[in-house]
PDB file of all heavy atoms in Angstrom:
ATOM      1  N   ALA A  95     124.444  88.963 105.433  1.00 59.00           N
ATOM      2  CA  ALA A  95     125.078  88.785 104.138  1.00 59.00           C
ATOM      3  C   ALA A  95     125.996  87.584 104.121  1.00 59.00           C
ATOM      4  O   ALA A  95     126.144  86.930 103.087  1.00 59.00           O
ATOM      5  CB  ALA A  95     125.835  90.050 103.742  1.00 59.00           C
ATOM      6  N   HIS A  96     126.650  87.265 105.250  1.00 58.00           N
ATOM      7  CA  HIS A  96     127.601  86.148 105.253  1.00 58.00           C
ATOM      8  C   HIS A  96     126.908  84.801 105.241  1.00 58.00           C
ATOM      9  O   HIS A  96     127.542  83.754 105.067  1.00 58.00           O
ATOM     10  CB  HIS A  96     128.539  86.257 106.444  1.00 58.00           C
ATOM     11  CG  HIS A  96     127.849  86.047 107.762  1.00 58.00           C
ATOM     12  ND1 HIS A  96     127.180  87.068 108.415  1.00 58.00           N
ATOM     13  CD2 HIS A  96     127.733  84.955 108.525  1.00 58.00           C
ATOM     14  CE1 HIS A  96     126.663  86.615 109.536  1.00 58.00           C
ATOM     15  NE2 HIS A  96     126.985  85.347 109.630  1.00 58.00           N
ATOM     16  N   GLU A  97     125.589  84.750 105.431  1.00 52.00           N
ATOM     17  CA  GLU A  97     124.839  83.516 105.390  1.00 52.00           C
ATOM     18  C   GLU A  97     124.265  83.320 103.977  1.00 52.00           C
ATOM     19  O   GLU A  97     123.123  83.651 103.711  1.00 52.00           O
ATOM     20  CB  GLU A  97     123.710  83.499 106.414  1.00 52.00           C
ATOM     21  CG  GLU A  97     124.193  83.482 107.826  1.00 52.00           C
ATOM     22  CD  GLU A  97     123.059  83.377 108.808  1.00 52.00           C
ATOM     23  OE1 GLU A  97     121.917  83.055 108.419  1.00 52.00           O
ATOM     24  OE2 GLU A  97     123.292  83.633 109.976  1.00 52.00           O
ATOM     25  N   THR A  98     125.021  82.778 103.117  1.00 53.00           N
ATOM     26  CA  THR A  98     124.569  82.575 101.736  1.00 53.00           C
ATOM     27  C   THR A  98     124.063  81.163 101.590  1.00 53.00           C
ATOM     28  O   THR A  98     124.402  80.261 102.333  1.00 53.00           O
ATOM     29  CB  THR A  98     125.694  82.834 100.743  1.00 53.00           C
ATOM     30  OG1 THR A  98     126.760  81.942 100.996  1.00 53.00           O
ATOM     31  CG2 THR A  98     126.195  84.279 100.839  1.00 53.00           C
ATOM     32  N   VAL A  99     123.294  80.960 100.553  1.00 50.00           N
ATOM     33  CA  VAL A  99     122.681  79.653 100.291  1.00 50.00           C
ATOM     34  C   VAL A  99     123.747  78.596  99.973  1.00 50.00           C
ATOM     35  O   VAL A  99     123.606  77.426 100.289  1.00 50.00           O
ATOM     36  CB  VAL A  99     121.699  79.763  99.114  1.00 50.00           C
ATOM     37  CG1 VAL A  99     121.097  78.415  98.794  1.00 50.00           C
ATOM     38  CG2 VAL A  99     120.615  80.759  99.429  1.00 50.00           C
ATOM     39  N   ASP A 100     124.864  79.021  99.412  1.00 53.00           N
ATOM     40  CA  ASP A 100     125.867  78.065  99.004  1.00 53.00           C
ATOM     41  C   ASP A 100     126.915  77.799 100.081  1.00 53.00           C
ATOM     42  O   ASP A 100     127.924  77.172  99.840  1.00 53.00           O
ATOM     43  CB  ASP A 100     126.571  78.504  97.709  1.00 53.00           C
ATOM     44  CG  ASP A 100     127.244  79.864  97.855  1.00 53.00           C
ATOM     45  OD1 ASP A 100     126.971  80.574  98.838  1.00 53.00           O
ATOM     46  OD2 ASP A 100     128.006  80.234  96.945  1.00 53.00           O
ATOM     47  N   HIS A 101     126.655  78.227 101.326  1.00 53.00           N
ATOM     48  CA  HIS A 101     127.567  77.985 102.402  1.00 53.00           C
ATOM     49  C   HIS A 101     127.613  76.460 102.690  1.00 53.00           C
ATOM     50  O   HIS A 101     126.557  75.861 102.863  1.00 53.00           O
ATOM     51  CB  HIS A 101     127.157  78.746 103.656  1.00 53.00           C
ATOM     52  CG  HIS A 101     128.191  78.774 104.713  1.00 53.00           C
ATOM     53  ND1 HIS A 101     128.449  77.717 105.548  1.00 53.00           N
ATOM     54  CD2 HIS A 101     129.058  79.757 105.082  1.00 53.00           C
ATOM     55  CE1 HIS A 101     129.418  78.022 106.366  1.00 53.00           C
ATOM     56  NE2 HIS A 101     129.805  79.255 106.127  1.00 53.00           N
ATOM     57  N   PRO A 102     128.796  75.834 102.761  1.00 53.00           N
ATOM     58  CA  PRO A 102     128.861  74.360 102.873  1.00 53.00           C
ATOM     59  C   PRO A 102     128.353  73.830 104.217  1.00 53.00           C
ATOM     60  O   PRO A 102     127.986  72.666 104.291  1.00 53.00           O
ATOM     61  CB  PRO A 102     130.349  74.058 102.662  1.00 53.00           C
ATOM     62  CG  PRO A 102     131.056  75.316 102.993  1.00 53.00           C
ATOM     63  CD  PRO A 102     130.092  76.439 102.631  1.00 53.00           C
ATOM     64  N   HIS A 103     128.314  74.628 105.271  1.00 55.00           N
ATOM     65  CA  HIS A 103     127.915  74.122 106.590  1.00 55.00           C
ATOM     66  C   HIS A 103     126.434  74.340 106.911  1.00 55.00           C
ATOM     67  O   HIS A 103     125.982  73.982 107.975  1.00 55.00           O
ATOM     68  CB  HIS A 103     128.770  74.793 107.687  1.00 55.00           C
ATOM     69  CG  HIS A 103     130.221  74.465 107.529  1.00 55.00           C
ATOM     70  ND1 HIS A 103     130.760  73.199 107.719  1.00 55.00           N
ATOM     71  CD2 HIS A 103     131.277  75.252 107.176  1.00 55.00           C
ATOM     72  CE1 HIS A 103     132.036  73.235 107.489  1.00 55.00           C
ATOM     73  NE2 HIS A 103     132.392  74.464 107.149  1.00 55.00           N
ATOM     74  N   LEU A 104     125.711  74.943 106.007  1.00 54.00           N
ATOM     75  CA  LEU A 104     124.317  75.173 106.259  1.00 54.00           C
ATOM     76  C   LEU A 104     123.447  74.128 105.550  1.00 54.00           C
ATOM     77  O   LEU A 104     123.551  73.906 104.358  1.00 54.00           O
ATOM     78  CB  LEU A 104     123.903  76.569 105.753  1.00 54.00           C
ATOM     79  CG  LEU A 104     124.571  77.745 106.484  1.00 54.00           C
ATOM     80  CD1 LEU A 104     124.191  79.046 105.841  1.00 54.00           C
ATOM     81  CD2 LEU A 104     124.164  77.741 107.950  1.00 54.00           C
ATOM     82  N   ALA A 105     122.625  73.430 106.365  1.00 57.00           N
ATOM     83  CA  ALA A 105     121.814  72.365 105.824  1.00 57.00           C
ATOM     84  C   ALA A 105     120.559  72.899 105.116  1.00 57.00           C
ATOM     85  O   ALA A 105     120.023  72.225 104.263  1.00 57.00           O
ATOM     86  CB  ALA A 105     121.411  71.415 106.938  1.00 57.00           C
ATOM     87  N   GLU A 106     120.096  74.051 105.524  1.00 63.00           N
ATOM     88  CA  GLU A 106     118.888  74.618 104.889  1.00 63.00           C
ATOM     89  C   GLU A 106     119.137  76.038 104.464  1.00 63.00           C
ATOM     90  O   GLU A 106     120.115  76.665 104.826  1.00 63.00           O
ATOM     91  CB  GLU A 106     117.688  74.546 105.836  1.00 63.00           C
ATOM     92  CG  GLU A 106     117.838  75.454 107.050  1.00 63.00           C
ATOM     93  CD  GLU A 106     116.568  75.441 107.912  1.00 63.00           C
ATOM     94  OE1 GLU A 106     115.494  75.797 107.400  1.00 63.00           O
ATOM     95  OE2 GLU A 106     116.679  75.095 109.074  1.00 63.00           O
ATOM     96  N   ASP A 107     118.217  76.553 103.685  1.00 73.00           N
ATOM     97  CA  ASP A 107     118.281  77.907 103.218  1.00 73.00           C
ATOM     98  C   ASP A 107     118.218  78.867 104.414  1.00 73.00           C
ATOM     99  O   ASP A 107     117.252  78.824 105.162  1.00 73.00           O
ATOM    100  CB  ASP A 107     117.113  78.147 102.262  1.00 73.00           C
ATOM    101  CG  ASP A 107     117.034  79.582 101.753  1.00 73.00           C
ATOM    102  OD1 ASP A 107     118.008  80.347 101.911  1.00 73.00           O
ATOM    103  OD2 ASP A 107     116.000  79.922 101.183  1.00 73.00           O
ATOM    104  N   PRO A 108     119.229  79.704 104.625  1.00 78.00           N
ATOM    105  CA  PRO A 108     119.242  80.607 105.785  1.00 78.00           C
ATOM    106  C   PRO A 108     118.066  81.558 105.806  1.00 78.00           C
ATOM    107  O   PRO A 108     117.518  81.863 106.853  1.00 78.00           O
ATOM    108  CB  PRO A 108     120.557  81.376 105.666  1.00 78.00           C
ATOM    109  CG  PRO A 108     121.330  80.753 104.595  1.00 78.00           C
ATOM    110  CD  PRO A 108     120.427  79.861 103.834  1.00 78.00           C
ATOM    111  N   ALA A 109     117.639  82.025 104.627  1.00 81.00           N
ATOM    112  CA  ALA A 109     116.505  82.943 104.588  1.00 81.00           C
ATOM    113  C   ALA A 109     115.264  82.263 105.131  1.00 81.00           C
ATOM    114  O   ALA A 109     114.474  82.851 105.881  1.00 81.00           O
ATOM    115  CB  ALA A 109     116.286  83.446 103.162  1.00 81.00           C
ATOM    116  N   ARG A 110     115.069  81.001 104.765  1.00 86.00           N
ATOM    117  CA  ARG A 110     113.899  80.250 105.246  1.00 86.00           C
ATOM    118  C   ARG A 110     113.983  80.085 106.765  1.00 86.00           C
ATOM    119  O   ARG A 110     112.964  80.194 107.458  1.00 86.00           O
ATOM    120  CB  ARG A 110     113.798  78.899 104.559  1.00 86.00           C
ATOM    121  CG  ARG A 110     112.521  78.158 104.919  1.00 86.00           C
ATOM    122  CD  ARG A 110     112.315  76.866 104.164  1.00 86.00           C
ATOM    123  NE  ARG A 110     112.501  77.035 102.757  1.00 86.00           N
ATOM    124  CZ  ARG A 110     113.223  76.210 101.980  1.00 86.00           C
ATOM    125  NH1 ARG A 110     113.808  75.159 102.518  1.00 86.00           N
ATOM    126  NH2 ARG A 110     113.353  76.417 100.690  1.00 86.00           N
ATOM    127  N   ALA A 111     115.167  79.846 107.303  1.00 87.00           N
ATOM    128  CA  ALA A 111     115.326  79.672 108.751  1.00 87.00           C
ATOM    129  C   ALA A 111     115.013  81.001 109.461  1.00 87.00           C
ATOM    130  O   ALA A 111     114.323  80.981 110.501  1.00 87.00           O
ATOM    131  CB  ALA A 111     116.768  79.246 109.073  1.00 87.00           C
ATOM    132  N   HIS A 112     115.459  82.131 108.935  1.00 86.00           N
ATOM    133  CA  HIS A 112     115.173  83.409 109.559  1.00 86.00           C
ATOM    134  C   HIS A 112     113.690  83.734 109.469  1.00 86.00           C
ATOM    135  O   HIS A 112     113.088  84.276 110.413  1.00 86.00           O
ATOM    136  CB  HIS A 112     115.993  84.516 108.906  1.00 86.00           C
ATOM    137  CG  HIS A 112     117.445  84.484 109.302  1.00 86.00           C
ATOM    138  ND1 HIS A 112     117.903  84.915 110.527  1.00 86.00           N
ATOM    139  CD2 HIS A 112     118.521  84.046 108.630  1.00 86.00           C
ATOM    140  CE1 HIS A 112     119.206  84.746 110.607  1.00 86.00           C
ATOM    141  NE2 HIS A 112     119.598  84.241 109.465  1.00 86.00           N
ATOM    142  N   LEU A 113     113.071  83.414 108.339  1.00 90.00           N
ATOM    143  CA  LEU A 113     111.640  83.652 108.162  1.00 90.00           C
ATOM    144  C   LEU A 113     110.819  82.807 109.156  1.00 90.00           C
ATOM    145  O   LEU A 113     109.913  83.306 109.806  1.00 90.00           O
ATOM    146  CB  LEU A 113     111.222  83.316 106.724  1.00 90.00           C
ATOM    147  CG  LEU A 113     109.729  83.374 106.412  1.00 90.00           C
ATOM    148  CD1 LEU A 113     109.182  84.788 106.609  1.00 90.00           C
ATOM    149  CD2 LEU A 113     109.478  82.909 104.990  1.00 90.00           C
ATOM    150  N   SER A 114     111.192  81.547 109.293  1.00 91.00           N
ATOM    151  CA  SER A 114     110.509  80.657 110.250  1.00 91.00           C
ATOM    152  C   SER A 114     110.643  81.169 111.680  1.00 91.00           C
ATOM    153  O   SER A 114     109.667  81.170 112.450  1.00 91.00           O
ATOM    154  CB  SER A 114     111.050  79.228 110.159  1.00 91.00           C
ATOM    155  OG  SER A 114     110.784  78.701 108.920  1.00 91.00           O
ATOM    156  N   ARG A 115     111.839  81.599 112.040  1.00 92.00           N
ATOM    157  CA  ARG A 115     112.071  82.125 113.385  1.00 92.00           C
ATOM    158  C   ARG A 115     111.244  83.384 113.617  1.00 92.00           C
ATOM    159  O   ARG A 115     110.605  83.567 114.654  1.00 92.00           O
ATOM    160  CB  ARG A 115     113.540  82.418 113.624  1.00 92.00           C
ATOM    161  CG  ARG A 115     113.814  82.930 115.034  1.00 92.00           C
ATOM    162  CD  ARG A 115     115.339  83.114 115.270  1.00 92.00           C
ATOM    163  NE  ARG A 115     115.562  83.511 116.619  1.00 92.00           N
ATOM    164  CZ  ARG A 115     115.548  84.779 117.042  1.00 92.00           C
ATOM    165  NH1 ARG A 115     115.262  85.739 116.185  1.00 92.00           N
ATOM    166  NH2 ARG A 115     115.778  85.100 118.300  1.00 92.00           N
ATOM    167  N   ALA A 116     111.196  84.279 112.625  1.00 92.00           N
ATOM    168  CA  ALA A 116     110.431  85.529 112.760  1.00 92.00           C
ATOM    169  C   ALA A 116     108.943  85.220 112.892  1.00 92.00           C
ATOM    170  O   ALA A 116     108.235  85.839 113.726  1.00 92.00           O
ATOM    171  CB  ALA A 116     110.678  86.429 111.566  1.00 92.00           C
ATOM    172  N   SER A 117     108.447  84.253 112.131  1.00 93.00           N
ATOM    173  CA  SER A 117     107.018  83.871 112.229  1.00 93.00           C
ATOM    174  C   SER A 117     106.714  83.319 113.617  1.00 93.00           C
ATOM    175  O   SER A 117     105.668  83.634 114.204  1.00 93.00           O
ATOM    176  CB  SER A 117     106.668  82.835 111.170  1.00 93.00           C
ATOM    177  OG  SER A 117     106.771  83.388 109.890  1.00 93.00           O
TER     178      SER A 117
END
Side-chain angles (χ1 to χ4, degrees):
H96 67 277
E97 292 184 15
T98 60
V99 178
D100 59 346
H101 192 283
H103 298 292
L104 295 175
E106 67 175 301
D107 177 13
R110 187 175 310 135
H112 286 285
L113 174 63
S114 295
R115 181 175 183 274
S117 294

